Amino acid sequence: MSVLVYLIPVALLLGGLGLAGFLWATRSGQFDDPEGAAERILLDDDEPE
């Protein structure tokens, strides 16, 4: 039972770090245009000579 005294704050800390990392990634534009690279492979940009 005394282990919960250590595990609950550690779990909250790790959850907070994960949330902070996710918010940082969304605000810095890491998730802008997620389909761009997937669709770019389908486009034929080569000019025939």
Side-chain angles (χ1 to χ4, degrees):
M1 192 76 160
S2 65
V3 175
L4 291 178
V5 174
Y6 298 109
L7 289 180
I8 290 175
V10 169
L12 290 174
L13 178 69
L14 290 175
L17 286 175
L19 181 63
F22 174 74
L23 291 176
W24 170 80
T26 55
R27 288 183 182 160
S28 67
Q30 295 292 320
F31 298 114
D32 290 348
D33 191 23
E35 290 90 19
E39 292 176 1
R40 199 172 305 126
I41 192 90
L42 300 174
L43 300 175
D44 188 19
D45 292 339
D46 295 336
E47 298 286 329
E49 291 183 19

